[in-house]
Amino acid sequence: MQEVTIIGAGLSGLIAAIQIAEGGGRVVVHEAGAKPGGRARTDVSNHRVNLGPHAIYRRGHFGDWLMQNDLLPKVYYPSLLGLRLLSGGRSRRMVPGLPKVMSSGKREAPVDESYRSWATREFGTDVAKLAIGFASLPTYHPDPGILSAAFVQERIARSSEWRPVWYVSGGWITLVDKLAARAEAFGVEIVTRSKLAELPDGLCVVATDIPTAAKLLNDPGLASPGPDNALLDVSIKKRRGDPTAVLDVDGHVYISSFSAGDPSIAPKGEWLLQAVAGIGEGEAVDTARGRIEAAMDVGYKGWRNRAVWQRKGVTRNTVGPCEMPGTTWRDRPAIDRGHGRWLIGSHVAAPGILAETCFESAKTAAVMVLSKLD
Ligand SMILES: Cc1cc2nc3c(=O)[nH]c(=O)nc-3n(C[C@H](O)[C@H](O)[C@H](O)COP(=O)(O)OP(=O)(O)OC[C@H]3O[C@@H](n4cnc5c(N)ncnc54)[C@H](O)[C@@H]3O)c2cc1C
């Protein structure tokens, strides 16, 4: 039987490998890094830290597949009781108007209109502003108001469900390890430190970032725009009353404690916080990080003196694409590239939120690959 090459052992490449091998295919995965994981990696030292705040949306095909295949690692629900919302310089449990936004999930919003224009008509100017601030969390975008109303509304609806997400105990690497182990159990060979500069002969699934895929597929026009983000990870000495999470609906900043439900990821007495802010057009990274620090000042009093460890980061179009008015996921780069080549990942033409798109695209490609095998 023909061998299938997969380039990239992030979530997408590993999921495709499992599904192709499960269907009877012979698979080799090449990974440039020393270990599988890609953006789902967890850096492990005194702290176990993901690349920015990461959560699995649990009520989707990806969550279902993980559960049905016994691939879900140990997870927990982030506590909503400890969430604080920052608005008007104050920290509170709820902001008037937000329940209206969160319960609006069943209302369909148009693809062709901006979320700001649609939400202003639906809720009025003040609540629309709140809704846009709330949407900065599931979109990771600095100004979700400019995006397609349908795109933003779907994210708000998914984030407003009862217990919408799981946090992964021990970091996302525990999910990656499970996927890699399952792939290997199906006979998949995972070759690490193997950076491919061109596509090999035969059937090939490209599961890299888009700029690398553009080179490998010899398609310089390949693009799928998404936001840039400033990240700040801080481990602080815990104080009673520290919130489990802070959403700054004015400053479009999200901060979450990953120690609140999983004390194993930081030394005893410390709380590991991961914060993210979308970087606005023309905004300096330091200015975006300044918004994070300002939210930390309100949410976690005295955090600068309590900080035991911290690291700063920037990600450029790596969270996932965002759709502008008039576009949907169907307008993103196609999965089937012809001639036995496929492109999968967070930025391609498949539905779902964030890593769900990795799963959906991997599943679609796996079916196509299996149909080509003798
Ligand atoms: C800050 C941040 C927060 C996020 N939060 C969430 C969240 O809360 N929930 C969620 O679902 N998703 C979230 N995501 C998105 C999620 O991390 C990604 O969608 C997912 O990890 C992407 O997986 P992938 O396999 O498609 O790509 P990648 O993880 O990028 O994997 C690609 C792999 O290809 C390898 N590679 C590249 N070039 C080559 C080459 N030439 N040869 C061989 N190998 C190569 C790379 O080393 C890498 O391992 C977040 C992302 C970021 C950056």
Side-chain angles (χ1 to χ4, degrees):
M1 183 186 282
Q2 228 180 328
E3 185 174 277
V4 180
T5 304
I6 297 180
I7 308 180
L11 295 183
S12 305
L14 292 173
I15 294 166
I18 291 171
Q19 300 204 347
I20 296 168
E22 196 178 11
R26 207 153 51 82
V27 183
V28 178
V29 182
H30 291 271
E31 166 54 46
K35 284 191 286 191
R39 281 172 274 160
R41 67 182 172 272
T42 304
D43 294 319
V44 180
S45 55
N46 275 348
H47 305 88
R48 297 176 72 93
V49 197
N50 295 327
L51 178 63
H54 263 78
I56 302 176
Y57 278 82
R58 74 186 182 98
R59 295 209 187 138
H61 296 158
F62 181 39
D64 290 347
W65 180 77
L66 290 173
M67 281 210 293
Q68 284 156 9
N69 290 281
D70 194 22
L71 283 165
L72 188 70
K74 193 173 166 212
V75 291
Y76 61 95
Y77 299 111
S79 158
L80 274 185
L81 281 178
L83 170 70
R84 293 293 176 272
L85 299 159
L86 304 190
S87 174
R90 285 173 52 204
S91 165
R92 28 195 170 162
R93 281 179 198 274
M94 190 36 86
V95 180
L98 204 51
K100 194 172 166 187
V101 173
M102 294 177 73
S103 62
S104 74
K106 292 220 162 49
R107 248 180 275 177
E108 290 247 329
V111 168
D112 292 338
E113 192 174 356
S114 76
Y115 184 72
R116 177 168 286 108
S117 140
W118 179 78
T120 302
R121 204 170 54 247
E122 288 288 310
F123 308 123
T125 313
D126 291 347
V127 176
K129 200 167 159 255
L130 267 181
I132 290 165
F134 179 70
S136 67
L137 163 57
T139 61
Y140 290 80
H141 197 277
D143 180 10
I146 66 168
L147 303 174
S148 155
F151 172 79
V152 175
Q153 180 66 354
E154 187 205 355
R155 299 251 167 147
I156 288 183
R158 291 288 304 277
S159 311
S160 304
E161 288 167 349
W162 168 244
R163 291 185 160 171
V165 296
W166 287 308
Y167 280 3
V168 179
S169 292
W172 272 42
I173 196 65
T174 63
L175 169 62
V176 171
D177 286 347
K178 270 196 166 246
L179 294 172
R182 179 64 55 87
E184 284 173 338
F186 278 131
V188 173
E189 187 187 352
I190 301 174
V191 189
T192 53
R193 300 184 203 277
S194 175
K195 182 173 180 172
L196 299 199
E198 55 187 43
L199 297 185
D201 290 339
L203 303 180
C204 182
V205 179
V206 177
T208 67
D209 53 279
I210 291 287
T212 304
K215 284 186 200 141
L216 289 168
L217 292 163
N218 199 16
D219 182 356
L222 203 64
S224 186
D228 297 341
N229 289 91
L231 306 176
L232 181 64
D233 304 321
V234 191
S235 195
I236 57 171
K237 288 272 178 219
K238 164 99 180 80
R239 244 188 224 163
R240 267 187 76 191
D242 278 338
T244 55
V246 167
L247 174 61
D248 180 348
V249 287
D250 297 339
H252 298 189
V253 169
Y254 181 62
I255 308 163
S256 186
S257 164
F258 283 77
S259 300
D262 179 11
S264 75
I265 59 163
K268 203 162 179 250
E270 288 183 30
W271 251 31
L272 180 69
L273 304 171
Q274 293 204 270
V276 61
I279 302 173
E281 212 180 312
E283 186 182 29
V285 175
D286 281 348
T287 312
R289 197 168 293 114
R291 283 189 281 120
I292 295 179
E293 292 179 352
M296 294 275 298
D297 286 339
V298 182
Y300 299 90
K301 298 264 181 259
W303 70 274
R304 291 166 202 266
N305 295 330
R306 292 195 275 148
V308 178
W309 170 90
Q310 64 176 290
R311 80 172 181 187
K312 297 170 179 172
V314 183
T315 61
R316 303 244 174 236
N317 189 13
T318 48
V319 173
C322 284
E323 283 141 22
M324 298 302 284
T327 64
T328 73
W329 59 263
R330 291 181 175 80
D331 299 301
R332 295 183 205 147
I335 295 171
D336 189 354
R337 313 305 299 181
H339 313 289
R341 272 64 169 110
W342 293 271
L343 172 64
I344 62 174
S346 50
H347 285 64
V348 308
I353 295 185
L354 300 163
E356 288 181 345
T357 309
C358 303
F359 169 76
E360 297 289 351
S361 61
K363 191 177 78 175
T364 302
V367 171
M368 293 182 189
V369 170
L370 288 170
S371 75
K372 299 267 185 210
L373 292 176
D374 345 302

